Every structure is written in C-alpha cells, then in structure tokens.
Amino acid sequence: MPASRRHHRTLAVLVNCLGVIAAVPALPPAVGRGAAAPARPAPPPAAVAAPARPAAAATPIPTGVPAVPPAVPTTGPSQVPASMPPVSVAVGAAGTPAPGYRIEVRNAGTSPVETLVRQELPTGSRATAVTGGGRATGPVGAAAGEVTWRLRLPARSTTTLRTALAVTGPGRSVTAPTCVYGTDGTRPYDCATATWVGAATAPAAQVTAAPAWRRPPVLLAAFTALLVLTGGLLWWAVARRRRRPAATAAGTTAPAAGAAGRPAQPTGPRPAGPVTAAPGGPEDRGTVYPRPALPAPAVRRRRPPVWLVVGVAAAVLAGVVGAAAWTATQRVAAMDTTKQPTSGAWVGSSVTGALGVPLRETAFEFTVYRMSCGTGVLPAAPGGGRPCLATVGVRNLTSEQQTWHGQLQRAYLPSGNWVAADENATRVANLGRDVFAQPVAAGRRVLLPLVFTVHGAEPPKQLELRSGVFSAGVRVDVD
C-alpha cells in the first residue's frame, strides 16, 4: 500500500475517534435492563384516587422544622365577625315634660339571643321610672349612673323599654345613649342615641341681642359718621373765612356829606400811580409835587388754626385705634381657650361634645356611647394599670376608605397627662381582631370597644379621637 494511502487512512481513523468522543456526553445515561422493558399499564381509577385522601395529605412530615401554616382564604374588608347576631336598637325621646326615652331592641335572627342592654345616664340625672325589669346602677369607675336590662330576645321579635329621668337643672337638653352588648358586657352589638329637649330649652337657646350702643359695628359706623360730619363743618368754616376778605376788598362805601359842606371823598382804595387833583379843588392848594402812589394792601393767606389741625389728627388717630381694638377683640373672642397648644398645622377645627353626641371632623364621625374603668370591665393589664373601656362608633364620611391608628386616640387625665389606646388590650376586647389593621370602607359605620390603660385611681375626663396625624379631631367629655 502506498504511503500516502496509509496516512489518509490513519487520519480518517483519528477523526472518527474524535467524533465518537465528542458525541459521548450527549448520549442518555445508561439504564438497567429493567428500564428497557415496556411500560406497565396505568392502574385503575380507584388505585389512583387512594393516595389523594385528605388524611394522608394533611399528615405532617417530622423533619424537625416548623411546618408552614395552611393558607387561609381572606374574607374581604368586612370587620364584623360572622358570629355577630343580627340585633339592633333604636332610641327615641318621649314628648313628656320630664326627660323620657323609648327603647326598641330587635332580634332579626332565627334563634333567641341573650343580651345586656345599657343606657348611660348623663351627669346630674337619675332614673325615676324603668320598665321591662331594668334596674338603675352605678358602674364601677364611671362618674354617672346607668340603667341595665338582661334580656333574652326571642327570634324575630322586638322588645320595647321605657325610662324616665330627673335632672338637677330643669329646662336643659339631656342625651342618653343606649347600647346592646353580649352577655360579657364588653362587645357591643349595636348602639343608638337620642336627645330629649324640654319645653323651656328652646327659649333659653335664643341669645338676647345687645343694645345698639353696645354693638361694635354700630359704634364704629357712628364714629365714622361723626368724623365725616366734623370734617365737613370745618371745611365749610374755612372756606367761608377765605371768601370774606375778597368781598371786603372789592366793595366800596357810598358817598356821604363831609364836614363844612364839602363833598365827601371816596373812601375806597386809591388807584395806583400819581394822584392828579381836580383843577380848582382843595387838593391843588399848596401842592407843589404830586402825591406819591399808595401801595395796595397785601392779602395774607389764612392758615387753619392749630386747634383745628390737632382736633382732626386726634379724631383720625382715635378712629384707627378704635378699629384696631375692635378687630383684635373679635379675634380674641373667637379663640378656643380649652384647645391644647398646636403648631397651626391641623386640618379643620376641633369639636367638643358629650357622651352620645355625634361629632364630625375631616374624615370620620365619632360617637362615644359609654366609658367605664375598673378591673371588672376587663382583666388587669400585664404591666399594671387599670383598663378603661370606651364604646365608640366610627363612621367614614368620605368617598374612599380611610385608615386610623391607635396611637392617635388619646385619653386625657385630670392631671393633664394623656395615654394612647392600648392596642393589645383593644385586640383582646375585640376577640382577637385588630380594628386598626383594616381601613374603614367609604360610608360605613363600625362599632367597637377601645381600651385605655391608666395608672391611678382617677378615670379619664376627656377622649381625643382623630382620623389622621394632621386632623384636628374631636374631644368628648366623659367625666
């Protein structure tokens, strides 16, 4: 075989070996003989469904690592638990001479409900008549009393209750909020309020107008008119004095008979220039040179007297000072001395009211129905202190959902200090539900208990509730 062919054949063998080596990694891994056997037929449906039983799938594997909790589907923005019974309450003021109320408690469900109805009595009032087996009591830690009923509401029924009150100050309006709670007395089902207005209250609301001479606008207008009248009189007097010398200079005196039968000489001003005597007259006698011309009298421009200038300046100064004093008085009278010092960055104006009165701010309408303190209301706080539970209704007045925060809700003590809402205790009072976690939907009203933990024997005297950081908020007197 020629050498050239041997070289070509050797080169071809090397190239084929390299190709085989390069193709080896791309081949599938080697498998046993059992894998080359044909696939077994699929098992029957019963055999396939057997491993998918819930008991087998829910069994955790003991790996030593905490298992991931199962996914829980969300329930939407609703903050009301599903166990809340359909119980509602309506309160109306009775048209009686003394404060009275009509309370209707309705159960729209299909099963009976055990409830506790509480009507808060305002300070300075007491219950004189109670129907439906209710009794007037004084809650622990509360400044005012209350009327309570323990009712078992039948299915699809309405129970009517009536109360009559006596107040220390006759003729004033009386607001008595009422709430329906569960048997524990902390979780409210529904709340309502009504204000009784007596016959003598309406005239008292009318404000007697002050006399005309004591009204600042009338006084300011009268003072301005006096200034205008005085200025007009002074101007007329000065103008009249200026016209008087001109009339005197232009006038002449009528001729009169002189002494010794000589004709009277004109007494008016003499013309300027040399005076020429009449021929043959008395002036020609003994006159060698013509008489010199007499200068015309200079008319001096009169200036206003000093007393006039000083009087006008004093009147103008008094008017300016009076207007400034009146403006400052109005601004000072409009200030709220009870409001806490602020930096001027609040949105809206703060509103103050009593228990059961709806108070509005920029986004929410707050209504505080009840406030009570003591260990009988809730368990004692772990870190010490006394829990105070407030039943609060919150209504979103805007067209979009709004969030609020527990640290912005405050309870002011008689000493001037304040405490924020206890979020952990509030969650316990709401059966583990975080009322600040989810926003309040547009136009929706929520009813919930807020807990404030205070240190000391004195309960809070005022609550401050607000929707946002820069909101002026509302203040509720609870003492």
Side-chain angles (χ1 to χ4, degrees):
M1 177 181 296
S4 60
R5 287 189 175 181
R6 288 198 301 269
H7 293 165
H8 290 170
R9 184 172 295 179
T10 303
L11 183 60
V13 170
L14 291 176
V15 170
N16 291 335
C17 291
L18 291 176
V20 171
I21 294 174
V24 167
L27 295 176
V31 295
R33 293 184 178 181
R40 295 181 181 180
V48 176
R53 290 180 298 177
T59 303
I61 300 176
T63 58
V65 181
V68 179
V72 179
T74 58
T75 58
S78 176
Q79 299 184 6
V80 181
S83 60
M84 185 73 68
V87 177
S88 61
V89 61
V91 183
T96 55
Y101 301 92
R102 174 189 174 92
I103 305 171
E104 294 183 353
V105 185
R106 182 183 180 185
N107 178 18
T110 58
S111 59
V113 179
E114 298 284 345
T115 60
L116 175 62
V117 182
R118 284 175 169 171
Q119 183 182 31
E120 192 78 9
L121 302 183
T123 304
S125 63
R126 59 185 179 85
T128 57
V130 180
T131 64
R135 60 192 184 95
T137 59
V140 179
E146 64 177 0
V147 180
T148 60
W149 295 266
R150 288 195 174 273
L151 304 177
R152 178 180 175 84
L153 303 178
R156 303 187 182 279
S157 65
T158 301
T159 304
T160 303
L161 309 173
R162 296 180 184 274
T163 57
L165 308 180
V167 294
T168 55
R172 65 185 181 94
S173 59
V174 180
T175 302
T178 304
C179 293
V180 181
Y181 296 88
T183 55
D184 57 353
T186 59
R187 186 179 55 160
Y189 294 158
D190 191 20
C191 291
T193 182
T195 302
W196 177 88
V197 180
T201 306
Q206 298 178 358
V207 179
T208 304
W213 59 273
R214 295 185 60 182
R215 299 178 187 176
V218 176
L219 293 177
L220 186 60
F223 188 75
T224 304
L226 181 60
L227 287 179
V228 173
L229 182 60
T230 305
L233 291 176
L234 294 177
W235 176 82
W236 176 80
V238 172
R240 185 179 181 183
R241 287 191 176 187
R242 287 182 179 179
R243 288 194 301 265
R244 186 175 298 175
T248 304
T252 56
T253 306
R262 293 183 301 176
Q265 300 298 327
T267 59
R270 296 184 178 184
V275 178
T276 304
E283 288 81 357
D284 294 340
R285 300 174 185 176
T287 302
V288 180
Y289 300 100
R291 294 181 179 182
L294 298 176
V299 180
R300 297 182 61 184
R301 185 176 182 181
R302 293 181 178 273
R303 295 182 179 180
V306 177
W307 63 268
L308 179 61
V309 176
V310 174
V312 173
V316 173
L317 180 61
V320 173
V321 172
W326 176 76
T327 304
T329 303
Q330 295 297 321
R331 292 187 177 182
V332 171
M335 292 182 180
D336 186 5
T337 57
T338 61
K339 186 184 295 185
Q340 295 292 329
T342 63
S343 60
W346 300 124
V347 178
S349 57
S350 180
V351 183
T352 304
L355 287 174
V357 178
L359 303 175
R360 294 190 175 190
E361 47 121 52
T362 55
F364 287 163
E365 178 187 76
F366 294 99
T367 306
V368 180
Y369 297 98
R370 187 174 183 268
M371 181 73 179
S372 59
C373 300
T375 55
V377 178
L378 286 175
R386 186 174 55 156
C388 294
L389 187 143
T391 304
V392 182
V394 183
R395 185 186 302 274
N396 186 1
L397 303 176
T398 64
S399 58
E400 57 185 9
Q401 63 181 10
Q402 299 289 337
T403 57
W404 61 317
H405 307 278
Q407 295 299 321
L408 300 180
Q409 322 310 319
R410 300 175 178 178
Y412 285 86
L413 305 176
S415 61
N417 299 328
W418 55 268
V419 294
D422 192 338
E423 297 188 13
N424 294 330
T426 300
R427 185 177 305 169
V428 172
N430 288 273
L431 304 180
R433 181 169 54 99
D434 190 357
V435 297
F436 302 108
Q438 295 181 344
V440 181
R444 187 183 176 189
R445 173 180 176 265
V446 294
L447 187 65
L448 45 90
L450 293 183
V451 181
F452 301 89
T453 302
V454 300
H455 298 271
E458 295 183 349
K461 69 173 185 177
Q462 194 176 63
L463 296 184
E464 184 183 68
L465 308 174
R466 57 178 52 151
S467 59
V469 177
F470 298 104
S471 174
V474 301
R475 290 174 175 264
V476 183
D477 298 326
V478 297
D479 57 349

